[in-house]
Amino acid sequence: MSDLKVPEGLLSRWQRIFGDELKDFLEAIKTPLVPSIRVNTLKVRVEEMISLFSQRGIDCRKIPWCPYGFWIYGCEEENIGNFWEHFVGLIYVQEPSSMIPAEILNPESKDKVLDIAAAPGSKTTHMAQIMENRGAIVANDINPKRLKALTNNIERLGVVNVCVTCMDGRRFGKILPSSFDKVLVDAPCSAEGTIRKSYKAIYNWHEWAYKKLSETQKALLISAFKATKPGGLILYSTCTFSPEENEAVVSYILEHYDAETEGIDIPGIEVSEPILSWNGEDFHPDVKRCIRIYPHKNEVGGFFVAKIRKLSF
Ligand SMILES: C[S@@+](CC[C@H](N)C(=O)[O-])C[C@H]1O[C@@H](n2cnc3c(N)ncnc32)[C@H](O)[C@@H]1O
């Protein structure tokens, strides 16, 4: 992970995004993340799991924003995937910032939830855990291959309140209008925030991708908005830094639909300010309630989160 060559175009965008913090950011992305897990309380108690690990000399340190999330010291991520505890679904290997959306959306056990882009199921299984396997989650993805991983994870973790669908998420607003209490849009994105894990996002980088991704993200968020009951909650998240895929998408919804953002409070994490204008466009002022999470300020990958309340149709 040391010979990092960032394309000029991407570097100059990051300069505009991170400003004085660019050096720290570039340094941080060369450092691999400490592996982390979510203990699956549908199958095991947290204390039991921690004690099993400590008997083997594995040190678990609490992730402050998730009651069952832990950083794991004393073994590699590849090894965790081979533990019997992983095979039988007592744990799920999950990056700490990816634990934020389900914790913020916080679905109740009576809720009907839509996870519009769900594969491979990190957040679906996390929400099922919060709901104690009650209520109902529709977990959808457009990609059948990725859905296979989702169904495997659902089965492995003992999740029983999920119905899996394979369709274009952009259709939900039309076929199931005002149907869900809570909707998660963990959008397909350019994944710049994942580079502490892999440099793929850098090697596959193309400037033109932002426009296409932003269009898909807007369409998914519009569909999610329509599928949510009035008064219901939508959580929009990406693991990327580009304003086109983050603030611009949220701003579009606030400008065209009866929705408002809500403040987000996450214990134990340093959040960064959202970007309020980009390439000559000023975003809706309520975008200021969205949060950015940066890998040089926390032991996590990069993330963007917006909490959106649907007011009326
Ligand atoms: C960031 S990943 C989701 C990760 C997942 N939420 C998790 O936590 O494991 C984005 C997903 O969006 C899916 N996707 C892309 N376009 C879509 C569309 N139009 N409708 C539904 N899913 C879509 C991709 O197949 C991909 O699995």
Side-chain angles (χ1 to χ4, degrees), residues 116-123 140-143 146 168-169 186-188 220:
I116 209 164
S122 315
K123 298 170 193 82
N140 175 73
D141 204 280
I142 200 169
N143 183 331
R146 287 175 63 91
D168 190 330
D186 187 38
L220 282 171

Side-chain angles (χ1 to χ4, degrees), residues 112-125 127-128 136-143 146-148 150-151 154 159 161-167 169 172 176 180 182 184:
K112 280 192 209 135
V113 178
L114 170 64
D115 189 350
I116 209 164
S122 315
K123 298 170 193 82
T124 303
T125 54
M127 290 195 290
I137 304 175
V138 174
N140 175 73
D141 204 280
I142 200 169
N143 183 331
R146 287 175 63 91
L147 271 183
K148 213 166 172 190
L150 171 85
T151 49
I154 287 172
V159 168
N161 64 341
V162 171
C163 154
V164 176
T165 58
C166 183
M167 59 182 225
F172 274 94
L176 286 171
F180 296 94
K182 297 191 170 165
L184 175 62

Side-chain angles (χ1 to χ4, degrees), residues 117-272:
S122 315
K123 298 170 193 82
T124 303
T125 54
H126 187 173
M127 290 195 290
Q129 179 171 358
I130 294 173
M131 295 163 83
E132 296 176 330
N133 249 341
R134 287 181 283 170
I137 304 175
V138 174
N140 175 73
D141 204 280
I142 200 169
N143 183 331
K145 280 196 193 130
R146 287 175 63 91
L147 271 183
K148 213 166 172 190
L150 171 85
T151 49
N152 285 343
N153 282 327
I154 287 172
E155 200 171 328
R156 185 171 63 84
L157 272 74
V159 168
V160 294
N161 64 341
V162 171
C163 154
V164 176
T165 58
C166 183
M167 59 182 225
D168 190 330
R170 290 175 282 200
R171 294 181 55 212
F172 274 94
K174 213 166 195 175
I175 59 175
L176 286 171
S178 297
S179 302
F180 296 94
D181 300 287
K182 297 191 170 165
V183 179
L184 175 62
V185 184
D186 187 38
C189 70
S190 56
E192 291 169 16
T194 62
I195 43 190
R196 282 186 71 179
K197 196 166 179 189
S198 138
Y199 287 167
K200 220 159 76 185
I202 294 184
Y203 299 140
N204 296 337
W205 183 79
H206 294 288
E207 180 99 45
W208 50 258
Y210 293 118
K211 188 167 180 286
K212 196 162 174 283
L213 283 164
S214 181
E215 278 163 13
T216 305
Q217 290 152 347
K218 279 179 195 159
L220 282 171
L221 191 50
I222 292 168
S223 173
F225 174 85
K226 291 183 175 169
T228 305
K229 292 176 186 172
L233 205 56
I234 304 154
L235 197 299
Y236 178 79
S237 57
T238 74
C239 55
T240 203
F241 305 117
S242 75
E244 292 91 333
E245 300 177 68
N246 294 326
E247 289 87 350
V249 176
V250 177
S251 181
Y252 183 88
I253 284 289
L254 296 175
E255 275 158 16
H256 293 87
Y257 294 88
D258 195 11
E260 64 184 19
T261 48
E262 293 188 357
I264 299 170
D265 189 23
I266 311 169
I269 200 161
E270 188 176 344
V271 299
S272 299

Side-chain angles (χ1 to χ4, degrees), residues 4 6 15 40 47 61 71 96 120 132 171 190 203 227 248 285 305:
L4 175 61
V6 183
Q15 174 72 69
N40 179 23
E47 310 75 53
R61 291 190 207 158
W71 282 288
E132 296 176 330
R171 294 181 55 212
S190 56
Y203 299 140
V305 187

Side-chain angles (χ1 to χ4, degrees), residues 7-26:
E8 259 321 299
L10 180 57
L11 195 60
S12 82
R13 288 174 60 90
W14 282 350
Q15 174 72 69
R16 289 166 63 200
I17 291 170
F18 296 112
D20 295 345
E21 296 171 19
L22 182 68
K23 199 164 161 268
D24 293 344
F25 168 75
L26 291 175

